[in-house]
PDB file of all heavy atoms in Angstrom:
ATOM      1  N   PHE B 415     -23.725  66.687-117.546  1.00  0.00           N
ATOM      2  CA  PHE B 415     -24.612  66.446-116.363  1.00  0.00           C
ATOM      3  C   PHE B 415     -24.884  65.004-116.000  1.00  0.00           C
ATOM      4  O   PHE B 415     -24.803  64.586-114.855  1.00  0.00           O
ATOM      5  CB  PHE B 415     -25.875  67.276-116.494  1.00  0.00           C
ATOM      6  CG  PHE B 415     -25.717  68.640-116.356  1.00  0.00           C
ATOM      7  CD1 PHE B 415     -25.284  69.513-117.307  1.00  0.00           C
ATOM      8  CD2 PHE B 415     -25.765  69.314-115.014  1.00  0.00           C
ATOM      9  CE1 PHE B 415     -25.054  70.860-117.172  1.00  0.00           C
ATOM     10  CE2 PHE B 415     -25.455  70.626-114.858  1.00  0.00           C
ATOM     11  CZ  PHE B 415     -25.185  71.464-115.932  1.00  0.00           C
ATOM     12  N   ASP B 416     -25.209  64.225-117.090  1.00  0.00           N
ATOM     13  CA  ASP B 416     -25.492  62.855-116.784  1.00  0.00           C
ATOM     14  C   ASP B 416     -24.118  62.031-116.426  1.00  0.00           C
ATOM     15  O   ASP B 416     -24.069  61.408-115.372  1.00  0.00           O
ATOM     16  CB  ASP B 416     -26.136  62.088-117.882  1.00  0.00           C
ATOM     17  CG  ASP B 416     -27.511  62.769-118.178  1.00  0.00           C
ATOM     18  OD1 ASP B 416     -27.892  63.540-117.317  1.00  0.00           O
ATOM     19  OD2 ASP B 416     -28.112  62.565-119.205  1.00  0.00           O
ATOM     20  N   ILE B 417     -23.229  62.114-117.306  1.00  0.00           N
ATOM     21  CA  ILE B 417     -22.009  61.452-117.166  1.00  0.00           C
ATOM     22  C   ILE B 417     -21.074  62.177-116.205  1.00  0.00           C
ATOM     23  O   ILE B 417     -20.577  61.561-115.215  1.00  0.00           O
ATOM     24  CB  ILE B 417     -21.166  61.228-118.516  1.00  0.00           C
ATOM     25  CG1 ILE B 417     -22.150  60.419-119.439  1.00  0.00           C
ATOM     26  CG2 ILE B 417     -19.788  60.631-118.323  1.00  0.00           C
ATOM     27  CD1 ILE B 417     -21.448  60.314-120.874  1.00  0.00           C
ATOM     28  N   GLY B 418     -20.937  63.471-116.325  1.00  0.00           N
ATOM     29  CA  GLY B 418     -20.139  64.263-115.580  1.00  0.00           C
ATOM     30  C   GLY B 418     -20.658  64.602-114.203  1.00  0.00           C
ATOM     31  O   GLY B 418     -19.931  65.072-113.296  1.00  0.00           O
ATOM     32  N   GLY B 419     -21.907  64.386-113.905  1.00  0.00           N
ATOM     33  CA  GLY B 419     -22.530  64.653-112.638  1.00  0.00           C
ATOM     34  C   GLY B 419     -22.669  66.121-112.216  1.00  0.00           C
ATOM     35  O   GLY B 419     -23.002  66.439-111.128  1.00  0.00           O
ATOM     36  N   GLY B 420     -22.589  66.955-113.282  1.00  0.00           N
ATOM     37  CA  GLY B 420     -22.841  68.448-113.050  1.00  0.00           C
ATOM     38  C   GLY B 420     -21.638  69.122-112.334  1.00  0.00           C
ATOM     39  O   GLY B 420     -20.542  68.591-112.302  1.00  0.00           O
ATOM     40  N   ILE B 421     -22.011  70.270-111.871  1.00  0.00           N
ATOM     41  CA  ILE B 421     -20.942  71.182-111.261  1.00  0.00           C
ATOM     42  C   ILE B 421     -20.810  70.877-109.727  1.00  0.00           C
ATOM     43  O   ILE B 421     -21.774  70.786-109.025  1.00  0.00           O
ATOM     44  CB  ILE B 421     -21.387  72.658-111.451  1.00  0.00           C
ATOM     45  CG1 ILE B 421     -21.968  72.862-112.869  1.00  0.00           C
ATOM     46  CG2 ILE B 421     -20.227  73.612-111.187  1.00  0.00           C
ATOM     47  CD1 ILE B 421     -21.020  72.553-114.009  1.00  0.00           C
ATOM     48  N   PRO B 422     -19.641  70.821-109.268  1.00  0.00           N
ATOM     49  CA  PRO B 422     -19.428  70.666-107.835  1.00  0.00           C
ATOM     50  C   PRO B 422     -19.995  71.752-107.095  1.00  0.00           C
ATOM     51  O   PRO B 422     -20.134  72.929-107.559  1.00  0.00           O
ATOM     52  CB  PRO B 422     -17.874  70.480-107.698  1.00  0.00           C
ATOM     53  CG  PRO B 422     -17.345  70.627-109.004  1.00  0.00           C
ATOM     54  CD  PRO B 422     -18.369  71.058-109.944  1.00  0.00           C
ATOM     55  N   ARG B 423     -20.070  71.600-105.756  1.00  0.00           N
ATOM     56  CA  ARG B 423     -20.563  72.599-104.790  1.00  0.00           C
ATOM     57  C   ARG B 423     -21.848  73.232-105.169  1.00  0.00           C
ATOM     58  O   ARG B 423     -22.128  74.424-104.940  1.00  0.00           O
ATOM     59  CB  ARG B 423     -19.487  73.618-104.561  1.00  0.00           C
ATOM     60  CG  ARG B 423     -18.130  72.993-104.111  1.00  0.00           C
ATOM     61  CD  ARG B 423     -17.021  73.997-103.889  1.00  0.00           C
ATOM     62  NE  ARG B 423     -17.281  74.869-102.825  1.00  0.00           N
ATOM     63  CZ  ARG B 423     -16.499  75.879-102.455  1.00  0.00           C
ATOM     64  NH1 ARG B 423     -15.444  76.103-103.072  1.00  0.00           N
ATOM     65  NH2 ARG B 423     -16.827  76.607-101.432  1.00  0.00           N
ATOM     66  N   LYS B 424     -22.788  72.445-105.895  1.00  0.00           N
ATOM     67  CA  LYS B 424     -24.054  72.954-106.280  1.00  0.00           C
ATOM     68  C   LYS B 424     -24.001  74.267-107.002  1.00  0.00           C
ATOM     69  O   LYS B 424     -25.016  75.079-106.942  1.00  0.00           O
ATOM     70  CB  LYS B 424     -24.878  73.082-104.999  1.00  0.00           C
ATOM     71  CG  LYS B 424     -25.202  71.777-104.336  1.00  0.00           C
ATOM     72  CD  LYS B 424     -26.470  71.861-103.498  1.00  0.00           C
ATOM     73  CE  LYS B 424     -26.710  70.652-102.660  1.00  0.00           C
ATOM     74  NZ  LYS B 424     -26.294  70.816-101.235  1.00  0.00           N
ATOM     75  N   ARG B 425     -22.910  74.641-107.663  1.00  0.00           N
ATOM     76  CA  ARG B 425     -22.872  75.930-108.428  1.00  0.00           C
ATOM     77  C   ARG B 425     -23.533  75.809-109.709  1.00  0.00           C
ATOM     78  O   ARG B 425     -23.827  74.642-110.166  1.00  0.00           O
ATOM     79  CB  ARG B 425     -21.364  76.283-108.547  1.00  0.00           C
ATOM     80  CG  ARG B 425     -20.697  76.506-107.156  1.00  0.00           C
ATOM     81  CD  ARG B 425     -19.986  77.796-107.140  1.00  0.00           C
ATOM     82  NE  ARG B 425     -19.670  78.149-105.836  1.00  0.00           N
ATOM     83  CZ  ARG B 425     -18.452  78.411-105.365  1.00  0.00           C
ATOM     84  NH1 ARG B 425     -17.379  78.276-106.213  1.00  0.00           N
ATOM     85  NH2 ARG B 425     -18.178  78.783-104.237  1.00  0.00           N
ATOM     86  N   GLU B 426     -23.688  76.903-110.307  1.00  0.00           N
ATOM     87  CA  GLU B 426     -24.353  76.948-111.601  1.00  0.00           C
ATOM     88  C   GLU B 426     -23.286  76.747-112.748  1.00  0.00           C
ATOM     89  O   GLU B 426     -22.122  77.263-112.637  1.00  0.00           O
ATOM     90  CB  GLU B 426     -25.021  78.211-111.874  1.00  0.00           C
ATOM     91  CG  GLU B 426     -26.440  78.189-111.385  1.00  0.00           C
ATOM     92  CD  GLU B 426     -27.074  79.587-111.430  1.00  0.00           C
ATOM     93  OE1 GLU B 426     -26.822  80.320-112.398  1.00  0.00           O
ATOM     94  OE2 GLU B 426     -27.848  79.863-110.468  1.00  0.00           O
ATOM     95  N   PHE B 427     -23.703  76.081-113.830  1.00  0.00           N
ATOM     96  CA  PHE B 427     -22.942  75.903-114.947  1.00  0.00           C
ATOM     97  C   PHE B 427     -22.807  77.276-115.626  1.00  0.00           C
ATOM     98  O   PHE B 427     -23.832  77.979-115.710  1.00  0.00           O
ATOM     99  CB  PHE B 427     -23.614  74.843-115.908  1.00  0.00           C
ATOM    100  CG  PHE B 427     -23.040  74.774-117.308  1.00  0.00           C
ATOM    101  CD1 PHE B 427     -21.963  74.042-117.541  1.00  0.00           C
ATOM    102  CD2 PHE B 427     -23.574  75.590-118.299  1.00  0.00           C
ATOM    103  CE1 PHE B 427     -21.494  73.862-118.863  1.00  0.00           C
ATOM    104  CE2 PHE B 427     -23.077  75.480-119.575  1.00  0.00           C
ATOM    105  CZ  PHE B 427     -21.959  74.675-119.807  1.00  0.00           C
ATOM    106  N   LYS B 428     -21.660  77.582-116.144  1.00  0.00           N
ATOM    107  CA  LYS B 428     -21.526  78.866-116.863  1.00  0.00           C
ATOM    108  C   LYS B 428     -21.250  78.556-118.382  1.00  0.00           C
ATOM    109  O   LYS B 428     -21.957  79.123-119.225  1.00  0.00           O
ATOM    110  CB  LYS B 428     -20.498  79.726-116.314  1.00  0.00           C
ATOM    111  CG  LYS B 428     -20.376  81.008-116.978  1.00  0.00           C
ATOM    112  CD  LYS B 428     -19.398  82.010-116.092  1.00  0.00           C
ATOM    113  CE  LYS B 428     -19.252  83.306-116.800  1.00  0.00           C
ATOM    114  NZ  LYS B 428     -18.377  84.173-115.964  1.00  0.00           N
ATOM    115  N   ALA B 429     -20.227  77.808-118.636  1.00  0.00           N
ATOM    116  CA  ALA B 429     -19.932  77.533-120.067  1.00  0.00           C
ATOM    117  C   ALA B 429     -19.025  76.320-120.134  1.00  0.00           C
ATOM    118  O   ALA B 429     -18.451  75.836-119.155  1.00  0.00           O
ATOM    119  CB  ALA B 429     -19.151  78.745-120.696  1.00  0.00           C
ATOM    120  N   VAL B 430     -19.018  75.824-121.371  1.00  0.00           N
ATOM    121  CA  VAL B 430     -18.040  74.719-121.595  1.00  0.00           C
ATOM    122  C   VAL B 430     -17.103  75.154-122.745  1.00  0.00           C
ATOM    123  O   VAL B 430     -17.629  75.645-123.805  1.00  0.00           O
ATOM    124  CB  VAL B 430     -18.724  73.283-121.798  1.00  0.00           C
ATOM    125  CG1 VAL B 430     -19.704  73.389-122.993  1.00  0.00           C
ATOM    126  CG2 VAL B 430     -17.727  72.282-122.033  1.00  0.00           C
ATOM    127  N   GLN B 431     -15.862  74.993-122.627  1.00  0.00           N
ATOM    128  CA  GLN B 431     -14.911  75.268-123.609  1.00  0.00           C
ATOM    129  C   GLN B 431     -14.517  73.963-124.319  1.00  0.00           C
ATOM    130  O   GLN B 431     -14.009  73.031-123.728  1.00  0.00           O
ATOM    131  CB  GLN B 431     -13.679  75.908-122.920  1.00  0.00           C
ATOM    132  CG  GLN B 431     -12.937  76.942-123.808  1.00  0.00           C
ATOM    133  CD  GLN B 431     -12.006  76.314-124.884  1.00  0.00           C
ATOM    134  OE1 GLN B 431     -11.743  75.133-124.834  1.00  0.00           O
ATOM    135  NE2 GLN B 431     -11.623  77.174-125.878  1.00  0.00           N
ATOM    136  N   THR B 432     -14.730  73.961-125.625  1.00  0.00           N
ATOM    137  CA  THR B 432     -14.338  72.740-126.397  1.00  0.00           C
ATOM    138  C   THR B 432     -13.302  73.140-127.506  1.00  0.00           C
ATOM    139  O   THR B 432     -13.300  74.273-127.960  1.00  0.00           O
ATOM    140  CB  THR B 432     -15.497  72.116-127.145  1.00  0.00           C
ATOM    141  OG1 THR B 432     -15.940  72.871-128.207  1.00  0.00           O
ATOM    142  CG2 THR B 432     -16.736  71.869-126.281  1.00  0.00           C
ATOM    143  N   GLY B 433     -12.471  72.230-127.861  1.00  0.00           N
ATOM    144  CA  GLY B 433     -11.604  72.383-128.989  1.00  0.00           C
ATOM    145  C   GLY B 433     -10.332  73.161-128.602  1.00  0.00           C
ATOM    146  O   GLY B 433      -9.558  73.469-129.576  1.00  0.00           O
ATOM    147  N   GLY B 434     -10.062  73.368-127.378  1.00  0.00           N
ATOM    148  CA  GLY B 434      -8.735  73.976-126.996  1.00  0.00           C
ATOM    149  C   GLY B 434      -8.561  75.404-127.532  1.00  0.00           C
ATOM    150  O   GLY B 434      -9.549  76.115-127.770  1.00  0.00           O
ATOM    151  N   PRO B 435      -7.342  75.813-127.793  1.00  0.00           N
ATOM    152  CA  PRO B 435      -7.018  77.175-128.058  1.00  0.00           C
ATOM    153  C   PRO B 435      -7.718  77.619-129.460  1.00  0.00           C
ATOM    154  O   PRO B 435      -7.827  78.768-129.707  1.00  0.00           O
ATOM    155  CB  PRO B 435      -5.555  77.193-128.265  1.00  0.00           C
ATOM    156  CG  PRO B 435      -5.008  76.017-127.487  1.00  0.00           C
ATOM    157  CD  PRO B 435      -6.098  74.988-127.527  1.00  0.00           C
ATOM    158  N   SER B 436      -8.123  76.586-130.289  1.00  0.00           N
ATOM    159  CA  SER B 436      -8.756  76.985-131.492  1.00  0.00           C
ATOM    160  C   SER B 436     -10.294  76.859-131.300  1.00  0.00           C
ATOM    161  O   SER B 436     -10.928  77.140-132.357  1.00  0.00           O
ATOM    162  CB  SER B 436      -8.411  75.973-132.625  1.00  0.00           C
ATOM    163  OG  SER B 436      -7.053  75.744-132.610  1.00  0.00           O
ATOM    164  N   GLY B 437     -10.730  76.596-130.190  1.00  0.00           N
ATOM    165  CA  GLY B 437     -12.126  76.311-130.035  1.00  0.00           C
ATOM    166  C   GLY B 437     -12.885  77.468-129.426  1.00  0.00           C
ATOM    167  O   GLY B 437     -12.503  78.692-129.533  1.00  0.00           O
ATOM    168  N   GLY B 438     -14.009  77.211-128.857  1.00  0.00           N
ATOM    169  CA  GLY B 438     -14.876  78.348-128.309  1.00  0.00           C
ATOM    170  C   GLY B 438     -15.701  77.869-127.012  1.00  0.00           C
ATOM    171  O   GLY B 438     -15.559  76.704-126.637  1.00  0.00           O
ATOM    172  N   CYS B 439     -16.306  78.828-126.485  1.00  0.00           N
ATOM    173  CA  CYS B 439     -17.005  78.644-125.204  1.00  0.00           C
ATOM    174  C   CYS B 439     -18.474  78.516-125.517  1.00  0.00           C
ATOM    175  O   CYS B 439     -19.029  79.482-126.262  1.00  0.00           O
ATOM    176  CB  CYS B 439     -16.806  79.783-124.291  1.00  0.00           C
ATOM    177  SG  CYS B 439     -15.147  79.881-123.673  1.00  0.00           S
ATOM    178  N   ILE B 440     -19.164  77.546-125.029  1.00  0.00           N
ATOM    179  CA  ILE B 440     -20.660  77.392-125.251  1.00  0.00           C
ATOM    180  C   ILE B 440     -21.402  77.614-123.925  1.00  0.00           C
ATOM    181  O   ILE B 440     -21.141  76.977-122.941  1.00  0.00           O
ATOM    182  CB  ILE B 440     -20.847  75.965-125.797  1.00  0.00           C
ATOM    183  CG1 ILE B 440     -19.996  75.789-127.040  1.00  0.00           C
ATOM    184  CG2 ILE B 440     -22.283  75.725-126.134  1.00  0.00           C
ATOM    185  CD1 ILE B 440     -19.947  74.343-127.506  1.00  0.00           C
TER     186      ILE B 440
END
Side-chain angles (χ1 to χ4, degrees):
Chain B
F415 287 87
D416 298 346
I417 298 174
I421 318 300
R423 302 179 69 182
K424 297 204 188 98
R425 297 231 165 120
E426 269 171 39
F427 169 87
K428 181 166 179 181
V430 57
Q431 209 281 344
T432 69
S436 312
C439 293
I440 304 170

